[in-house]
Amino acid sequence: MLPKLHLQTLLTTVLLLALRVDVSEEGELLAESIVLITAGECGYLSVTKPVLSVGSSLTATCHLCKEETASWEYAGSLVSPQLYSQINSTVSTLTLDSLTLTSREGENLTCRSSKGESYSQLIQTGYSPQAPTDLECVTHDMLTFICSWSAGSEINLKTTYKICYKPTHCESVKRNVSGKINLGPFGAVQIHITAVNTLGSATATFHLTKKDIAFIPPVPQNVKVVPDFSSQTLSLKWTSGVSALAFPTTIAFEIQVLWTEKMEVIHTESYAAQLDSQNKTFQWSWISGMPLNCTSHSVRIRSISTDSLVNSKNGSSDWSKLQTVPGADDSKSVMFPEDKVVRVGTNMTFCCVAGRGERIKTLVYGAEHLPCNELGIRRKAITKYNLPPSNPSGTNIMCELDPFDLIGTVVFVGYPPDDQQLECETRDLQNIVCYWNPGRQTMLLGGRRTFYTLTERISGKNASCHRANDADPNGDKHKCHFPVISGQQMYKFLLKAKNPLGEVETNYTLNLYTRVYPYSPSKVTVLCTGSRQTELFLSWEVSYKNMTCLCQFEIITNNKEKQLMNFTLPGQEANAHSTVAVDQLYPDTSYSFRTRCASAEHFWKWSSWSESKTCKTQEEAPSKALDVWREIKRTEHGQNVLVKWKPLPHSDAKGTIVKYEITWNDVNEVGEQSAVAPVSVNSTELHLNFSDYVISVRAVNSVGSSPSSQIRILGLLEEQADEPSIISGTPSGFNLSWSPGTNETCGYIVEWCLFPDTLDCNLQWEKVPPKTTHTVITSDGFRPGVRYSFSVYGCSQHKEYLLKKMVGYTQELAPRRAVKVKAEANSSHTVTLRWEDIPVQDRQGFIRGYRVYYVPQVNYSVRSQKSGIKEVINITDPDVRNVTVTNLHSTTYEFTVKAYTAGGEGIGEPININLVDSPLGLILAILVPLGVTCFCGILLAIFCYTKRNCVKETFYPDIPKPEIHGEQWSVGEGRSSNPTFDVKPFIPDKVRIIESLHGKDAEDSDICKVEINNGDSEQIDVNSCDTSTNPMLPSYYPQIVDSYKASSDSSSGSMNSCATQVTYSDIQPPSNGSVNNLEVISDCGYKPQMRPHVPLLDVNHTPNPQHLDLPEQSEGYQPQLKVSNWSLESPEVDEASACIGSPTSVNSTQFLLPDQASEEGQSTRSSSWKFSSFMSSAQKR
């Protein structure tokens, strides 16, 4: 069996159109027989064919120089002598059959003599070639195509191929064929490939289209890597490797960065590019997260087709050769990176390279131990993610080595510049100052801080800003100075801020005279020249002669009132004075002045405030009359008038009040009296008679006095004290209103006391303008729970008269004093309570009513032990002072009376009272029920007497006597005319058991019916009482008197039991037959009765208990209905007669026949008998 070895043969074809190959030359390889002779000095070895098919035969002839015996070796082994023969003394012939597969190089066949003469020939065996399969073609430039196919199984012989893709384009090669294939306008071509070796040939034909040809970009060429260790950057350059391309296409370069020592890919990136016929150069850079010194880095690159219009089965080229950047030398220990400055939030890797003979123990970032990453021998790294801002001095990273050594590095973590909001202005028109906001702090200091450069673009001059960082101690603003250029008014500034992490720029355009921020006046002088005006003098140390100033003055009075006034001042030289006059001031008032200025033509900013200056204006006479009121107290000798006034406010006093002048005069007399009050008081008391007076009061200061304020006192006028009206207040005050007065000409006066519960009530008043009949009184002194009284006076030309009184509370509270109660028992069931009124000062509100609480006591000495429900009586009339409580019981009660207001219920003082019943009531409680009972008994006796016949008929009816009419009985021989019927025991044909119950229920139940037939004597069902299907029996049933016991197992035959009543139907003489197992339990005594329509008993039917009752109607005499309900209650009756319950029952065997005359009243007797039975049953129960 041939070994199946598949060899994928790649044939590259680059065929020139001018190249022509004569394929016929290859025909020599197909000669049918080739004799190869290996000649020596005189001998030789000849074989028919050195290349043979596996399994064929080989014939070889050896010619020796001397006459000797020859031996053969093949493939290193001696050939058996049986396989060769000696032709003569010098010639030997060898024949090998069924040759096996030799090695690819062949096996040696050797002929050797005993004396060392030998000749050898290389023999090869194999197979004829197979037709090529699985043709695949690719291209790198869309012009030249590379095809490959499968050669099939291993044939062990050298094979060449001939490829023909046009009739005139054929080429024979050993293993590779190259050619330029043109697919033609239809995009398809037929390719013939022939495999040729020594043993034969095989041809295959393929149909090739553009879709079958895959485009694979070429391997990038001229790859170079340049490292930048300071920035940890690798820069890569390469060319596409394509000098000619049929049409442009898009590709991507896949770049990989590896750690060389571990050959670990640490970064992969795709670089998109456009590929055309020009051999372009491409560049790419990558910043490593790890310092490049830590370990060696290698870079490789390949091309990947991304053009959707081009068929790309494999997709990518081979990788380029590795380009390696070696790491740091390990001759000494070192850490990387060194003193690096990075942004906040950066992920950074630090590495430690240990020198020869040392070992790394730990790596620490600050005080934080991080896991280490092995980079190689004596190389470790740690990575810190999202770096926080470092200290100004940086963060230390330490590496501990073994044997003991410690190395480290520092990292500075901060922010790039964030400067913004550049603004420029001038203060003295000589220098320009630019301010900007530094933004976020960079956290970098020293040589890593931010450096600034201010450039004026129009002039091209720069300003040094070395001290911009520390210009503002608070760090709010940075500033830089730039000198004013003579004759230049417009300026364009560019500010550059740069630190190791970045750079930022900001611009600003300035018109010099539109951005003037002047200094405040260096000197300010204030001079008060009168009571209402003053003058101010201003000067500056710098010159503003070319600018009109707008100055604002702030004027503050001694009571903190503020006023702003603006003035325009012309430009002036340095240290020149400007004067400003200020009027409309208040007399006797201290003023504080300060000023600030700005450019009047182009307002930009106010300057800072100047230093404050003060002065006080002069005084004037008071301009307003005092607010005066009086309080009159009349006595039998005259009237005491307390004149009160309110001090003038400073705005009306116009100066300092030094005294008050009071004058009064009798209107009926000539002349006046006067008095002076010091400024420390605001009232004075005058003792006047009952005449009419006019009193005037004036306030006096150093300049003059105020207008006179007058009030009139009428000596004989008595004020009408009407009942005050109730008003509701609020926590802030009272809203008062009143009806207008008839004589009112000068308004109204409202009077009240601020502290009404004190001796000095602090009288207050308020004047209301004319035609106004309402006002709001507010005061911080108002308190909740205090009653305030208001008096409204009308003001006329000649007098003030009382118009209305009002009382109210700002907030009502519960009364603070308990109601004092007195209790009086009117009887054992009524109590009268009386109480006193609560004083006004303790009410704390308007009394709305009273609540009376009372509750009976278990032990009146212990109030906490209540035994009843507390009752409440609500009295809504606040004027009621007593109440009578009724419907009480004879016990001890606790009474409490509480007053309540709109603010709640007050407290109460409980009082106890004991109520005792009188003897007369007890006697009446006994005699009245007794009398009622006697009266009812008399009425009942009278009623029963008048209805005695009805009562007798109902409770004690007459019992009829049994009678026999006519000759109804036959007279036997030897007997009297009316012999006694001799009843003998016999066995009846049928037996009906009326009732069969046990125990107590047997006494109260109806008679159960049991019927016994001769033919069914063995099946007796005492529980079957169905009366719906059996036929009617005769009306008369005699009962047996003698006891008859037929079975020893029955317990119903006891003398104490009356459970079974037996009636006989169809009475016949005893027959010769016998009744088996018949149990008949007779009743005790003779009980005649009539049984209407008693049906026969069905022994197989279970009766319904409700059918056991006897019918109410009967066809004949019926002295009783329910025998079981009868009993003999006398204890003296013996057991033999215990079952005799009928009043007509006797110990007789005679039959009782019904009386015909009694049938008419049968219904009445039946009803009477039922009632008697019911009474009897009730007694038993």
Side-chain angles (χ1 to χ4, degrees):
M1 182 176 179
L2 298 177
K4 296 183 179 180
L5 301 176
H6 297 279
L7 175 63
Q8 182 71 21
T9 306
L10 179 63
L11 301 178
T12 41
T13 63
V14 181
L15 181 63
L16 300 177
L17 294 178
L19 177 63
R20 296 184 181 275
V21 179
D22 189 359
V23 183
S24 62
E25 295 177 357
E26 296 292 338
E28 298 177 355
L29 298 175
L30 302 178
E32 295 182 358
S33 177
I34 301 177
V35 178
L36 295 179
I37 299 175
T38 303
E41 296 178 356
C42 59
Y44 60 91
L45 175 65
S46 64
V47 295
T48 56
K49 189 185 294 185
V51 179
L52 303 99
S53 297
V54 175
S56 61
S57 299
L58 171 66
T59 300
T61 302
C62 180
H63 297 269
L64 300 176
C65 293
K66 297 179 180 180
E67 294 181 0
E68 291 183 5
T69 302
S71 61
W72 295 83
E73 291 182 6
Y74 179 68
S77 300
L78 292 175
V79 178
S80 174
Q82 298 177 359
L83 298 180
Y84 59 89
S85 62
Q86 192 74 27
I87 301 300
N88 53 36
S89 60
T90 59
V91 178
S92 177
T93 301
L94 172 67
T95 300
L96 296 177
D97 297 327
S98 302
L99 293 176
T100 60
L101 187 68
T102 64
S103 65
R104 190 171 181 80
E105 292 78 12
E107 301 294 342
N108 287 323
L109 178 63
T110 304
C111 172
R112 182 179 289 107
S113 67
S114 59
K115 294 185 178 181
E117 184 181 358
S118 65
Y119 304 97
S120 295
Q121 176 64 45
L122 187 64
I123 304 299
Q124 286 185 304
T125 60
Y127 303 95
S128 60
Q130 299 178 0
T133 59
D134 302 331
L135 178 67
E136 292 183 357
C137 296
V138 298
T139 180
H140 298 303
D141 54 6
M142 306 296 180
L143 298 174
T144 301
F145 301 91
I146 303 172
C147 296
S148 64
W149 57 86
S150 175
S153 302
E154 177 63 39
I155 60 178
N156 206 40
L157 297 176
K158 183 177 180 180
T159 303
T160 60
Y161 294 90
K162 180 177 66 176
I163 179 170
C164 297
Y165 51 90
K166 284 184 180 181
T168 59
H169 290 79
C170 292
E171 184 177 358
S172 179
V173 295
K174 295 181 180 180
R175 291 293 297 174
N176 297 325
V177 150
S178 61
K180 186 174 183 181
I181 301 176
N182 187 2
L183 297 182
F186 298 101
V189 67
Q190 193 174 60
I191 299 177
H192 305 278
I193 301 177
T194 302
V196 180
N197 67 7
T198 307
L199 300 179
S201 64
T203 302
T205 302
F206 301 94
H207 295 276
L208 188 65
T209 64
K210 288 184 177 180
K211 294 183 179 180
D212 300 325
I213 300 175
F215 172 72
I216 297 178
V219 178
Q221 302 296 320
N222 304 320
V223 180
K224 293 183 180 180
V225 178
V226 178
D228 184 357
F229 293 97
S230 61
S231 61
Q232 302 179 188
T233 303
L234 290 178
S235 297
L236 181 66
K237 289 184 179 182
W238 71 96
T239 59
S240 62
V242 176
S243 59
L245 193 64
F247 53 86
T249 183
T250 58
I251 65 171
F253 295 102
E254 184 179 6
I255 307 169
Q256 286 187 347
V257 182
L258 304 88
W259 285 341
T260 308
E261 190 170 349
K262 299 174 65 176
M263 288 305 294
E264 178 183 346
V265 178
I266 61 173
H267 181 74
T268 300
E269 187 173 333
S270 181
Y271 182 93
Q274 182 78 17
L275 196 64
D276 53 21
S277 59
Q278 298 179 2
N279 191 10
K280 291 183 178 180
T281 300
F282 299 95
Q283 294 183 355
W284 172 83
S285 63
W286 170 71
I287 299 176
S288 173
M290 177 185 295
L292 301 177
N293 313 74
C294 295
T295 185
S296 298
H297 291 74
S298 296
V299 180
R300 64 182 179 180
I301 185 172
R302 67 177 177 178
S303 303
I304 301 175
S305 176
T306 59
D307 196 337
S308 60
L309 300 178
V310 177
N311 181 26
S312 56
K313 296 181 179 179
N314 296 329
S316 62
S317 68
D318 294 334
W319 288 104
S320 66
K321 293 182 179 180
L322 288 175
Q323 302 294 318
T324 302
V325 176
D329 185 12
D330 59 357
S331 59
K332 63 177 182 178
S333 299
V334 64
M335 280 200 71
F336 299 102
E338 298 179 356
D339 300 338
K340 190 76 172 180
V341 181
V342 296
R343 292 192 180 192
V344 174
T346 303
N347 300 333
M348 193 169 182
T349 300
F350 306 89
C351 70
C352 180
V353 179
R356 295 185 181 90
E358 292 182 325
R359 182 178 62 87
I360 300 173
K361 293 178 62 178
T362 58
L363 278 172
V364 182
Y365 179 89
E368 183 180 1
H369 291 266
L370 298 174
C372 295
N373 185 16
E374 296 285 346
L375 302 180
I377 303 175
R378 300 190 307 278
R379 298 172 187 264
K380 289 185 179 181
I382 59 172
T383 301
K384 175 65 176 178
Y385 297 95
N386 194 16
L387 288 175
S390 63
N391 297 326
S393 59
T395 302
N396 295 324
I397 299 91
M398 307 303 296
C399 178
E400 184 180 1
L401 302 175
D402 185 21
F404 179 76
D405 193 4
L406 194 64
I407 59 175
T409 185
V410 180
V411 62
F412 299 90
V413 186
Y415 298 96
D418 189 31
D419 298 84
Q420 53 192 332
Q421 300 176 0
L422 177 66
E423 289 183 354
C424 299
E425 62 190 12
T426 179
R427 305 207 66 177
D428 55 6
L429 301 177
Q430 301 296 322
N431 291 283
I432 298 174
V433 182
C434 291
Y435 298 88
W436 65 90
N437 184 356
R440 179 185 53 212
Q441 294 185 10
T442 62
M443 310 301 293
L444 302 176
L445 300 177
R448 293 164 293 277
R449 71 179 187 275
T450 304
F451 293 91
Y452 298 95
T453 301
L454 183 63
T455 303
E456 203 287 304
R457 293 184 176 181
I458 297 177
S459 63
K461 295 183 178 180
N462 296 332
S464 177
C465 301
H466 297 294
R467 299 182 60 83
N469 302 66
D470 54 0
D472 190 349
N474 297 326
D476 295 335
K477 290 284 187 179
H478 288 180
K479 66 179 180 179
C480 186
H481 294 266
F482 187 86
V484 173
I485 300 174
S486 178
Q488 183 175 341
Q489 187 173 346
M490 294 297 298
Y491 294 85
K492 292 184 179 180
F493 291 102
L494 172 64
L495 177 68
K496 292 183 179 180
K498 183 178 180 180
N499 72 1
L501 297 179
E503 180 179 347
V504 68
E505 295 181 355
T506 180
N507 299 278
Y508 190 78
T509 301
L510 169 69
N511 187 333
L512 184 63
Y513 288 96
T514 61
R515 293 294 184 267
V516 179
Y517 174 37
Y519 289 106
S520 60
S522 58
K523 186 176 182 181
V524 179
T525 304
V526 180
L527 178 62
C528 291
T529 58
S531 61
R532 294 182 179 271
Q533 65 274 350
T534 186
E535 290 183 353
L536 290 88
F537 303 94
L538 310 176
S539 64
W540 285 266
E541 294 180 351
V542 297
S543 174
Y544 294 109
K545 64 179 180 178
N546 296 326
M547 183 185 73
T548 302
C549 293
L550 173 65
C551 293
Q552 185 179 74
F553 291 87
E554 181 186 67
I555 307 172
I556 302 176
T557 62
N558 50 6
N559 58 359
K560 305 304 180 183
E561 293 182 359
K562 184 183 296 185
Q563 181 182 4
L564 296 176
M565 302 178 67
N566 293 336
F567 299 91
T568 301
L569 302 178
Q572 62 179 9
E573 294 288 346
N575 299 319
H577 290 278
S578 298
T579 303
V580 177
V582 180
D583 54 5
Q584 298 181 357
L585 303 179
Y586 292 102
D588 193 40
T589 302
S590 296
Y591 289 94
S592 174
F593 298 90
R594 64 176 184 171
T595 183
R596 60 182 179 178
C597 298
S599 174
E601 297 175 353
H602 304 282
F603 182 84
W604 167 241
K605 285 182 181 179
W606 289 110
S607 69
S608 58
W609 288 104
S610 66
E611 185 181 357
S612 296
K613 299 293 181 179
T614 60
C615 75
K616 186 176 183 181
T617 56
Q618 300 175 4
E619 292 185 359
E620 290 182 356
S623 60
K624 188 176 180 180
L626 293 170
D627 186 1
V628 180
W629 188 237
R630 83 292 183 279
E631 183 179 0
I632 302 175
K633 295 180 181 180
R634 289 184 172 85
T635 65
E636 59 182 9
H637 303 291
Q639 51 186 347
N640 296 329
V641 179
L642 180 62
V643 181
K644 305 188 70 174
W645 58 87
K646 295 179 181 179
L648 290 174
H650 185 267
S651 59
D652 296 329
K654 302 292 194 300
T656 303
I657 302 299
V658 295
K659 63 180 178 178
Y660 296 99
E661 294 181 352
I662 303 100
T663 61
W664 68 95
N665 64 293
D666 191 337
V667 296
N668 298 321
E669 297 180 0
V670 179
E672 64 179 10
Q673 302 180 56
S674 63
V676 175
V679 71
S680 59
V681 299
N682 59 357
S683 64
T684 185
E685 187 174 6
L686 302 179
H687 301 282
L688 307 176
N689 54 28
F690 291 107
S691 298
D692 296 343
Y693 286 87
V694 176
I695 302 175
S696 300
V697 182
R698 294 189 302 271
V700 181
N701 64 10
S702 61
V703 178
S705 61
S706 66
S708 178
S709 180
Q710 295 183 349
I711 57 174
R712 297 179 64 86
I713 305 297
L714 301 182
L716 299 179
L717 180 63
E718 294 184 1
E719 297 178 348
Q720 300 296 328
D722 295 336
E723 185 69 22
S725 60
I726 297 176
I727 58 174
S728 297
T730 62
S732 60
F734 295 89
N735 190 357
L736 307 181
S737 62
W738 57 89
S739 300
T742 57
N743 299 323
E744 176 265 325
T745 58
C746 54
Y748 302 92
I749 300 96
V750 180
E751 175 189 87
W752 76 95
C753 283
L754 189 59
F755 306 109
D757 51 354
T758 60
L759 184 60
D760 183 12
C761 71
N762 192 1
L763 182 66
Q764 303 289 320
W765 70 94
E766 181 177 310
K767 292 186 177 181
V768 181
K771 309 301 180 182
T772 302
T773 59
H774 60 84
T775 187
V776 177
I777 305 299
T778 59
S779 175
D780 295 336
F782 286 148
R783 294 169 296 163
V786 176
R787 174 180 290 194
Y788 294 96
S789 300
F790 297 90
S791 299
V792 180
Y793 292 86
C795 176
S796 65
Q797 186 177 2
H798 301 291
K799 62 180 179 178
E800 289 85 13
Y801 58 93
L802 181 62
L803 188 62
K804 186 178 182 180
K805 286 188 176 182
M806 292 170 279
V807 293
Y809 296 85
T810 57
Q811 181 181 354
E812 293 191 45
L813 303 177
R816 61 186 177 187
R817 178 174 292 187
V819 179
K820 295 183 178 180
V821 185
K822 295 181 179 179
E824 179 181 355
N826 300 333
S827 65
S828 61
H829 303 291
T830 60
V831 173
T832 298
L833 303 177
R834 294 179 175 83
W835 59 87
E836 300 176 358
D837 199 0
I838 299 177
V840 175
Q841 64 272 15
D842 295 328
R843 296 178 185 176
Q844 301 192 121
F846 297 109
I847 301 298
R848 311 288 178 173
Y850 299 89
R851 291 189 180 96
V852 179
Y853 299 90
Y854 61 97
V855 60
Q857 302 287 300
V858 173
N859 185 358
Y860 65 86
S861 63
V862 182
R863 294 182 178 179
S864 62
Q865 297 179 355
K866 307 289 183 181
S867 64
I869 299 175
K870 182 179 290 187
E871 302 289 342
V872 181
I873 300 176
N874 188 14
I875 302 173
T876 58
D877 187 357
D879 297 330
V880 174
R881 298 293 183 272
N882 61 79
V883 67
T884 299
V885 184
T886 60
N887 298 326
L888 302 178
H889 302 288
S890 298
T891 184
T892 300
Y893 283 86
E894 179 186 270
F895 294 90
T896 305
V897 179
K898 297 181 181 181
Y900 62 90
T901 66
E905 188 179 75
I907 59 177
E909 291 183 356
I911 183 172
N912 295 323
I913 186 169
N914 187 19
L915 300 180
V916 181
D917 290 336
S918 62
L920 180 61
L922 181 62
I923 294 174
L924 290 176
I926 297 174
L927 293 181
V928 170
L930 184 61
V932 172
T933 303
C934 294
F935 180 74
C936 293
I938 294 172
L939 291 179
L940 182 61
I942 294 173
F943 177 77
C944 292
Y945 181 76
T946 58
K947 302 293 182 180
R948 60 185 178 275
N949 294 330
C950 180
V951 172
K952 182 176 180 299
E953 183 69 18
T954 301
F955 293 97
Y956 302 99
D958 294 335
I959 301 174
K961 297 179 180 180
E963 296 179 1
I964 301 176
H965 298 279
E967 293 181 358
Q968 300 179 6
W969 305 96
S970 61
V971 180
E973 296 181 359
R975 295 183 181 182
S976 62
S977 59
N978 294 317
T980 302
F981 185 75
D982 188 8
V983 179
K984 295 181 180 181
F986 63 95
I987 299 175
D989 294 335
K990 297 181 180 179
V991 178
R992 181 176 299 277
I993 298 176
I994 304 304
E995 183 177 15
S996 180
L997 296 174
H998 299 283
K1000 188 176 182 295
D1001 294 337
E1003 300 176 2
D1004 302 330
S1005 304
D1006 293 337
I1007 299 174
C1008 187
K1009 306 163 188 175
V1010 178
E1011 184 177 294
I1012 302 177
N1013 296 325
N1014 290 335
D1016 301 327
S1017 60
E1018 295 181 359
Q1019 298 179 358
I1020 302 176
D1021 187 359
V1022 297
N1023 296 324
S1024 177
C1025 299
D1026 189 0
T1027 62
S1028 61
T1029 58
N1030 297 327
M1032 294 291 296
L1033 296 177
S1035 302
Y1036 178 71
Y1037 298 85
Q1039 297 183 354
I1040 191 167
V1041 176
D1042 296 339
S1043 299
Y1044 183 82
K1045 182 179 295 184
S1047 176
S1048 61
D1049 296 335
S1050 175
S1051 62
S1052 61
S1054 174
M1055 293 301 294
N1056 296 329
S1057 175
C1058 296
T1060 304
Q1061 300 292 338
V1062 181
T1063 62
Y1064 300 90
S1065 63
D1066 300 335
I1067 303 175
Q1068 298 178 1
S1071 61
N1072 294 330
S1074 61
V1075 179
N1076 297 328
N1077 300 329
L1078 175 65
E1079 293 184 6
V1080 178
I1081 302 174
S1082 65
D1083 215 348
C1084 299
Y1086 172 71
K1087 298 179 178 59
Q1089 56 185 344
M1090 299 297 295
R1091 294 296 180 187
H1093 309 292
V1094 180
L1096 294 177
L1097 177 65
D1098 186 359
V1099 297
N1100 295 323
H1101 176 70
T1102 302
N1104 190 345
Q1106 64 183 1
H1107 296 159
L1108 297 179
D1109 294 335
L1110 294 176
E1112 295 181 0
Q1113 296 181 358
S1114 64
E1115 295 181 356
Y1117 171 71
Q1118 187 175 0
Q1120 56 188 352
L1121 290 179
K1122 297 183 179 180
V1123 180
S1124 62
N1125 293 335
W1126 292 21
S1127 64
L1128 186 64
E1129 298 179 2
S1130 175
E1132 298 176 359
V1133 180
D1134 58 2
E1135 295 181 356
S1137 61
C1139 295
I1140 301 177
S1142 172
T1144 61
S1145 298
V1146 294
N1147 294 327
S1148 174
T1149 61
Q1150 295 290 335
F1151 287 100
L1152 299 180
L1153 301 179
D1155 189 5
Q1156 299 294 332
S1158 64
E1159 293 180 358
E1160 299 178 356
Q1162 187 175 5
S1163 176
T1164 303
R1165 287 192 302 269
S1166 178
S1167 301
S1168 300
W1169 187 251
K1170 288 181 181 180
F1171 185 81
S1172 300
S1173 299
F1174 170 76
M1175 295 298 295
S1176 177
S1177 299
Q1179 290 176 1
K1180 287 183 179 183
R1181 287 194 296 268

